[in-house]
Amino acid sequence: MSILNYLKKTIDKKGAAYIVLIDPDKKNNQAIEKIVNSGNNSGVDAFFIGGSLIMDSEYNRRVRDIKNKSKIPIILFPGGVNQINPYFDAMLFTSIISGRNPHYLIGEQVIAAPIVKDLEIETIPTGYILIDGGSVSMVQVMSGTIPLPMQKIDAIIAHALAGQYLGKKMIYLEAGSGAKYPVGNNIIEAVRDVLNIPLIIGGGLSSPEIVNEKVIAGASVIVTGTIIETESTIMNEIADAVHWKMK
Ligand code: 1GP
């Protein structure tokens, strides 16, 4: 089964899927093994692997180690074309459709495509929409794109719809890692209403209660990163909050 179908089946069966984001950067050297072990035993459905900036040359080794230890799929959530390697089960083939920087709409993707073909990595076409979560995100800095304001709901809906009509298989509403404010429940409800593809929500999700609200509002996939780096034991509770159909 493809990873996309695995995710869709998980969403159908459990109500939503729970993905833990691992930033395989130097700063997380110590934490990674613990996160993978907890993830394996806490009802997490997959790992996203990726970061905005990697501060040493050990990235590939870390991803290989994650692949060797993980019992669940590992999916590249790329900060850039330099993060592609043979260890992934699939990758989000993202385009930052909230921005107007051609390099992140099509430039990186063109550089990536031949490598992806050669490595035969499953691609999941994903429309990535950056929303202002109240602090300047690394995605904003690195991509040179302006996030959509949280209160411009019509603009967010229009971007998500455009992504769907462009043939994306998933839409990712991102408030940015460590966001002060996660994507609002009203935004999730409004976007869910017009989409018929899975909706990924991430950025600033810091408790099982908040996560539960997002799922009730219509999130199909929940992503947490920062909270797990400090409190890996919270995964179980978050997984329970995400998997509402299993209760
Ligand atoms: C994934 O960037 C987010 O969409 C991760 O955000 O680190 O705030 O969980 P956090």
Side-chain angles (χ1 to χ4, degrees):
M1 186 177 16
S2 71
I3 298 295
L4 178 60
N5 281 340
Y6 161 75
L7 290 175
K8 284 184 177 167
K9 264 186 105 171
T10 303
I11 295 162
D12 275 356
K13 199 170 104 193
K14 301 184 180 176
Y18 179 34
I19 298 187
V20 164
L21 171 65
I22 303 178
D23 178 359
D25 187 27
K26 188 176 165 189
K27 62 178 179 292
N28 293 326
N29 223 353
Q30 306 305 321
I32 292 175
E33 193 175 340
K34 214 165 130 199
I35 297 173
V36 175
N37 288 335
S38 309
N40 282 338
N41 300 305
S42 305
V44 176
D45 298 301
F47 290 117
F48 276 169
I49 316 283
S52 300
L53 198 57
I54 308 295
M55 296 301 286
D56 66 4
S57 58
E58 292 293 304
Y59 167 85
N60 289 320
R61 186 211 31 95
R62 287 190 197 103
V63 179
R64 190 193 60 208
D65 289 353
I66 295 169
K67 176 63 191 162
N68 288 337
K69 297 206 170 80
S70 176
K71 297 195 179 119
I72 52 179
I74 74 165
I75 302 169
L76 172 61
F77 174 30
V81 70
N82 58 320
Q83 293 177 17
I84 298 170
N85 64 34
Y87 307 117
F88 293 105
D89 298 304
M91 68 181 289
L92 298 187
F93 206 80
T94 49
S95 195
I96 305 184
I97 59 172
S98 51
R100 299 295 182 271
N101 180 346
H103 189 69
Y104 286 93
L105 282 165
I106 184 64
E108 285 278 308
Q109 295 78 354
V110 169
I111 301 168
I115 304 166
V116 170
K117 175 157 174 51
D118 197 35
L119 294 174
E120 296 180 345
I121 304 173
E122 176 188 337
T123 51
I124 303 175
T126 304
Y128 185 82
I129 297 176
L130 184 61
I131 295 174
D132 189 342
S135 45
V136 177
S137 67
M138 275 301 275
V139 181
Q140 176 175 354
V141 172
M142 297 304 291
S143 69
T145 62
I146 303 167
L148 301 177
M150 194 81 86
Q151 63 278 15
K152 302 282 187 211
I153 296 194
D154 284 350
I156 297 171
I157 293 172
H159 280 78
L161 266 180
Q164 174 167 287
Y165 295 150
L166 279 165
K168 308 299 181 198
K169 298 283 191 258
M170 291 189 157
I171 294 294
Y172 198 139
L173 296 184
E174 168 75 271
S177 186
K180 267 197 213 153
Y181 312 109
V183 177
N185 303 342
N186 55 336
I187 294 173
I188 298 172
E189 279 164 17
V191 172
R192 178 73 281 159
D193 253 13
V194 300
L195 284 192
N196 51 34
I197 53 176
L199 180 59
I200 309 173
I201 302 295
L205 302 175
S206 56
S207 72
E209 293 71 29
I210 294 174
V211 161
N212 199 242
E213 283 177 19
K214 305 304 164 195
V215 172
I216 290 168
S220 339
V221 178
I222 290 289
V223 184
T224 63
T226 307
I227 183 75
I228 301 307
E229 287 164 18
T230 48
E231 250 185 282
S232 63
T233 48
I234 207 171
M235 277 184 213
N236 256 319
E237 288 168 58
I238 297 185
D240 280 353
V242 173
H243 299 144
W244 59 272
K245 263 198 192 172
M246 305 296 277
K247 284 181 186 160

